[in-house]
Amino acid sequence: MHIRLYTKTNCPLCDKAKAVLTELQADYRFTMEEIDIYEDDALLEKYQLMIPVVELDGEEIGYGMIEKEMVRKRLRRAQNS
């Protein structure tokens, strides 16, 4: 499983989302890639009001306030499929 975390600098919600994902890596095997939306104009346009955005294997699963239990459920479902 692969998670992309779309972020920007000076973003407390992004820091919280990264902490949640890092905690979940203790229970689930996935790689995590952090992408700064300010490095790509298309991403900036797409996500600027949604940051942070969590994408699991190409599917957006959450944005803004990232809840640990929501991500856990999606990881469990992906792991079992």
Side-chain angles (χ1 to χ4, degrees):
M1 295 184 291
H2 182 72
I3 285 188
R4 283 194 176 125
L5 175 62
Y6 294 97
T7 66
K8 64 181 181 181
T9 55
N10 299 321
C11 170
L13 284 177
C14 300
D15 296 339
K16 183 176 185 277
K18 186 174 181 179
V20 164
L21 293 171
T22 300
E23 287 176 29
L24 287 169
Q25 279 186 311
D27 299 324
Y28 298 93
R29 299 186 79 170
F30 62 88
T31 56
M32 183 169 55
E33 174 183 12
E34 193 172 349
I35 300 168
D36 186 336
I37 63 167
Y38 279 89
E39 294 179 6
D40 183 315
D41 289 339
L43 292 176
L44 179 60
E45 185 175 326
K46 183 175 182 180
Y47 293 129
Q48 66 181 344
L49 299 176
M50 297 171 64
I51 288 302
V53 176
V54 176
E55 189 180 271
L56 173 61
D57 293 333
E59 177 190 352
E60 281 179 27
I61 63 168
Y63 65 91
M65 288 290 289
I66 303 302
E67 297 295 330
K68 187 175 183 179
E69 284 310 307
M70 178 275 301
V71 178
R72 182 189 309 277
K73 286 177 187 173
R74 297 303 296 267
L75 286 167
R76 190 178 304 127
R77 191 178 318 151
Q79 189 177 39
N80 293 330
S81 58

